[in-house]
Structure formats: C-alpha cells, structure tokens
Amino acid sequence: MSEKNTVPKESLFSPKNRKLITDPIGTSNPITVQVLGVCSVLAVTVQLRASLVLAIAVVAVMGFANVIISLLRHGIPPRIRIIVQLTVIASLVILVDQILKAFVYDVSRQLSVFVGLIITNCIIMGRLEAFALQNKVWPSFLDGIGNAAGYGSILLLVAAVRELLGSGTLMGYQMIPNFMYNFGYVDNGLMILPPMALITVGVIIWVHRHRDKALVDVS
Amino acid sequence: MKALINLVEKVKPNFEKGGRFEKLHRSFEAFETFLYVKGDVTRSGSHIRDAIDMKRTMVHVIIALIPPLLFGIWNVGFQHYRATGEEVAFMDQVLFGLIHVLPIIIVSYASGLAIEFIFASARDHEVNEGFLVSGMLIPLVIPVTTPLWMVAVATIFAVIIGKEVFGGTGMNILNPALLARAFLFFAYPSYLSGEVWIETTLQEGQQLVDGFSGATALAVMAAGEGAMPSDFNMFFGFIPGSIGETSTFAILLGAIVLIATGIGSFRIMASVFLGGLAMGLILNLFAVNDFMAMPAYRHLIMGGFAFGAVYMATDPVSASQTGVGKYIYGVLIGVITVLIRVVNPAYPEGMMLAILFMNVFAPLIDHYVVESRVKKRMKRMQKIRLQTQA
C-alpha cells in the first residue's frame, strides 16, 4: 500500500476512505469478527453510561494514536516500534484518564482500572501495527475512528442488553415500568455477572455470521 | 390403532414436498415418529437397524423419571398441609401437588419444544427427542414455588444457549436441564434459595403452624441451626426440597429401570455415590465443624445428590464416553459436590455446579484415557515386533 503516493490525490471521503470507517463496524468488526479486546467488553458493560464513556475514550485514544504513529512512521526505527507505540498510547490514555477524573468523576471511579487498561487493548496496538505504520495520516485517522467505533458499537449493544435486563434501566433511567414489577417481574441477576456479557457477545457473533455468510469460516 | 395409522397416512401428503404445509414437514415428522416407527427403508448398502433409536431411549428415561415425579407431586401436597397443620386425605395432597406441579411441566415442555421446532424448521433437520427428557428434568429440579414465567425463560435460555448454539441434540457440552437450573439459580437467587421449597400461599382461614421451618436439610446443616430431619425421612423423601429430588428411594427405583434397560451408566452412578461417600469420610477425619463431622452417608440422601447422580450425571451426551473416563468423571462429581457443600457456605447445594463443572472436563478426561490406551498398545506392539524379529 505504500506505493500509493503515485496515485493522484483522492478526495477526503472517497469510497475507499469511507470503507475504512464502515468496514470495522460491519464485516471486520474488531470484536465480533476479529475477537479482539473482549476483556473490557466483559468488565464494563454492566451499565450503559460507563460503556458510553469508555467507548468515547477509546475512539479518542485510537484516533489520535493512529494519527501520531502515522506522522512518525518514517522516523520510528522498526526494532523499537512497539515501545514507541506503547508510549504514545499510554500518554494518550493518561490524558483521557485525567480528563475523566476532572469532569465525570463518578464514572471514572466506576471504570476504575479499565481506563488504564485501554493501553493493553489489543485493538489499538493491532491497528497501529497493521495500518498506521504503513499509511498516510488521514486514512490512518479514519481507520482508528472506524475500529474504535466498531468496538464501541458492540460495547454499547452489550451494555444496553445487560443494563435493561439486569437492572431494568438504561443510562440510569428506569425502563421497565413499575406495573411489571407488581406483576412479579424480577430483574435478571445473571445479566450483571460477567458470564452473561460473554454469552451476549457470543449471540451477537452468532447473529452476525448468520446474516453475513462470508464470515463463516469452513474448517 | 389402525385408525390412527390411517389418519397419519391421510394427512401426510399435505406435509410433503409440494404439499400445503411443506414448511411444517419437520414438525409433522416429529409427531409421526412419536407415534410410529417410520416406514422408511434403507436403500443403499446393507445396514442393521436397531429397534432402539433416540426416541425409544428417551422414553425409557421418562419411564425411569415416573417414581420421583409421582412422589414429588404427592410431597408438594404433603409439605403444604404439614406447613398449615391441616389433616387432609391422601388424595387431597396429591391433588394439591398436581395443581402446582402440572403447570410447571406444561410450561417447560411448551417453551422448550417451541424453540426446538423453530430451530428444526429453520435448519431443516429432524426435531430431536432430547428435549423430551430435559423438559421433564427441569420441573423436577426446581422448587414448586418458582414462577412460571421464570421456568419459561430458563428453559428457552437452556435450549438456545445450551443446545442449539452447539448444533442441537448430541452436540451440547453441558446438560441443558442443569443449565436451566443454574440460570435460575444465578439470575433469580431469591427464588431458588432460602425458604422457597414449600408452597405456603395461604388461603383464608389457614395459617402456618408454630415453629414452622421450610429450610432444607442442607440449609440446616450449612447454617448450623435448626432441626435435622431423620435419616428415614431423608431417605424416603418426606422433606422439603425441589420437586423431584427429595426421595432417594424413588430415585433408586428409577435407577433400577435405567440400569436394567442399559440406558443409564451404572459406572457413573456408582462412582458418583462412591466419590461423595469417600470425600465425606475424608472430611470426617478433620471434623472442625458440625457439617464436617456429619456422617458421610447422609450426604448421599440429602438434597439433590441422588437425583443428580442418577439422572443428571449419566446424561450420555455431556458425560465421559470412555469406560475408565466414566469412573474418573463420576468420582470427581461426588468429591466436588461434597466439597462445595461443606467448604463453600455460599452454595448449600453443590450437585448442580459439580456436574456442570465435570461436564466441561468430560472431553479432556476422555482425551487422556484414549491417549493412554493408545500408548499402551503401541508399547505392546513394539514388544511383539521385537520378539518376532529376535
């Protein structure tokens, strides 16, 4: 892909660039197709609010990390590229962590260690390695945003299911009307436990592959 | 009988290719084979067809489930009237039990079979008979007070996540009936622990007797207070508990049916009991609290131990397949059950978790048993080869 500099200048939102954003949300979704970054999906999806904040944080970190690494791509010695990538991600994560602590303190406490663990999120390193190191700044930015959005969309989906069925709320607002509880409806305690996140992700993967047969790997 | 066959043959064309209800032909097939062995003939090669297929196997298990079911129905009534202190006739007790148990069974079958039929139509495979047994096991391992909608949710969850995800009957790694119970246990804990084992909704003019306690023997032991039922009551099942699990005696009757027909594995049943007994005896040696000091044999007649050993652990799909593997699998179930009961105060009953846990390990056990066999044979072969060369 590096010989792209011979190609005439393409528009900012050419079909190719648009695919960089739409692909990771659909057919090459980092969670449901590549099955990366599942750990945080299991941990923070009990409530929609926390997941939303984490999703935004990941979008920010990934977009900027991809841009920075793409800018530096000719200057990074290949032997120490992993260290450089880690440093860039870690500085961004610290930045995000400080912002969260300053503006949404309770959510930041709820996310606790998982903001810090964005550093170890395999999706981010993976995209830096696979994309930003070989591509120009703008496509790298789109790729980062796209992958983070793909990750975030699954995060939000799982969190919505878990919060609705597990606590009867969404974003902290009660969703299941009181008369249901009077009829004997009870919130599902299993939804709050981590196994249910795994099962929910599993079901999403199942449905995704059922609808898109190209994803089914025949072995 | 003849009329029934004629009826089946008459409506059959409607469900075949080009018929009006072509989409439903899998459902029709299920009902047809439920009534009669299909008239299909093997067309290629020579095969021996055994009379016993999955449907007959499952029917045998259902027959074996009749003693605990009947006893459970009566016990529901018996426990209720014991709680209210009323003296009623035997048939009234049975009637009370029927009114409360039948809806659970119907809901369990209806919700589970609905899912089975939907998946069978969507994937175009035969409706499998596996649920015939699971649908009966689920009501027997839950308390009679479980709300019906919870039974339905748990059953649907167990059939989809426990079975259909893996490809249907015969592919599941976990026992679906136990998965349904585990789902209820973790999703709605307050409905599956504590004093939920006896139906105590009171009508006008009724009241609970003084000093009434609905705690199970396991809960009594775990809490270290309250009166333990006598061994006689525990063995014959005149105690509170899940619908079908209380009477070890009735379960052993079922076990005889399973072993005599060769459906249930004797090795698994025996080794689960042995494992539980052995672990109980080992704990007796330490005996730092009452539960550990309790005679080991009591573990076998308390709670769901016998039911799990006879009906759950022997599930041919999720258990170990190899002979030696079955012993290892069974003994470990017994050991882990007693360990969970005694050592972990959060879970008074360990049978469910122990079996699910060992279900996961069953393929690993089988793998190593087969490996060791292969190694032994290789050695023997090499010996023979060396001898013939010499």
Side-chain angles (χ1 to χ4, degrees), chain A residues 30-32 34-44 54 58 117 120-124 151 154-155 201:
Chain A
I31 293 181
T32 62
Q34 302 170 22
V35 197
L36 294 173
V38 179
C39 347
S40 51
V41 176
L42 305 189
V44 300
L54 190 74
V58 171
L117 283 180
T120 59
N121 193 326
C122 2
I123 303 170
I124 302 181
Y151 165 85
I154 300 296
L155 205 66
V201 173

Side-chain angles (χ1 to χ4, degrees), chain B residues 53-273:
Chain B
D53 57 2
M54 195 165 18
K55 212 158 260 178
R56 309 299 152 214
T57 315
M58 296 301 173
V59 167
H60 279 117
V61 183
I62 293 286
I63 292 170
L65 277 169
I66 289 175
L69 174 67
L70 291 182
F71 184 88
I73 289 174
W74 170 77
N75 194 41
V76 166
F78 171 72
Q79 293 295 335
H80 172 75
Y81 287 114
R82 195 177 65 99
T84 59
E86 286 170 286
E87 294 273 339
V88 294
F90 176 76
M91 281 319 287
D92 283 337
Q93 293 170 335
V94 172
L95 194 67
F96 183 90
L98 267 182
I99 290 171
H100 286 85
V101 175
L102 265 189
I104 298 182
I105 297 178
I106 292 169
V107 166
S108 151
Y109 269 120
S111 49
L113 285 177
I115 302 289
E116 287 267 351
F117 276 87
I118 290 170
F119 272 92
S121 303
R123 291 185 170 158
D124 196 31
H125 64 62
E126 287 174 40
V127 174
N128 279 316
E129 298 76 16
F131 194 74
L132 218 55
V133 169
S134 306
M136 184 58 88
L137 284 173
I138 292 170
L140 289 182
V141 293
I142 56 178
V144 67
T145 52
T146 317
L148 292 178
W149 69 269
M150 284 184 193
V151 180
V153 171
T155 311
I156 291 169
F157 175 85
V159 173
I160 295 182
I161 302 298
K163 220 156 72 173
E164 293 303 338
V165 160
F166 298 103
T169 306
M171 312 282 196
N172 46 313
I173 48 172
L174 298 173
N175 185 328
L178 270 184
L179 196 65
R181 192 185 196 278
F183 178 84
L184 285 174
F185 184 83
F186 288 106
Y188 310 108
S190 59
Y191 287 80
L192 238 78
S193 50
E195 308 220 339
V196 297
W197 309 100
I198 303 174
E199 175 62 66
T200 49
T201 321
L202 297 176
Q203 258 117 46
E204 225 171 299
Q206 284 183 321
Q207 57 176 5
L208 294 181
V209 291
D210 290 340
F212 163 77
S213 162
T216 61
L218 281 168
V220 170
M221 273 326 283
E225 52 189 41
M228 273 292 279
S230 68
D231 288 351
F232 175 84
N233 280 353
M234 285 204 288
F235 181 72
F236 286 98
F238 309 122
I239 48 171
S242 297
I243 295 168
E245 72 171 13
T246 57
S247 172
T248 310
F249 177 69
I251 291 163
L252 287 180
L253 286 183
I256 292 172
V257 175
L258 284 181
I259 294 171
T261 52
I263 303 288
S265 163
F266 174 72
R267 296 174 189 212
I268 294 180
M269 289 183 208
S271 52
V272 174
F273 280 112

Side-chain angles (χ1 to χ4, degrees), chain A residues 25-135:
Chain A
I25 297 177
T27 51
S28 65
N29 190 294
I31 293 181
T32 62
V33 180
Q34 302 170 22
V35 197
L36 294 173
V38 179
C39 347
S40 51
V41 176
L42 305 189
V44 300
T45 51
V46 175
Q47 275 169 339
L48 196 53
R49 228 164 99 85
S51 324
L52 186 65
V53 172
L54 190 74
I56 294 171
V58 171
V59 169
V61 170
M62 241 175 126
F64 284 118
N66 264 16
V67 167
I68 295 171
I69 293 294
S70 179
L71 281 172
L72 296 174
R73 71 184 185 279
H74 297 303
I76 302 175
R79 280 189 167 186
I80 58 160
R81 65 184 195 284
I82 303 273
I83 301 281
V84 175
Q85 288 164 8
L86 263 184
T87 323
V88 169
I89 302 171
S91 338
L92 286 168
V93 167
I94 291 168
L95 213 61
V96 166
D97 195 28
Q98 293 303 316
I99 292 172
L100 287 184
K101 272 190 184 140
F103 293 103
V104 275
Y105 184 63
D106 16 315
V107 178
S108 132
R109 272 192 44 193
Q110 209 177 0
L111 286 170
S112 65
V113 70
F114 288 97
V115 177
L117 283 180
I118 295 177
I119 302 169
T120 59
N121 193 326
C122 2
I123 303 170
I124 302 181
M125 277 277 265
R127 290 329 289 176
L128 291 184
E129 273 285 294
F131 200 91
L133 272 178
Q134 287 99 33
N135 285 285

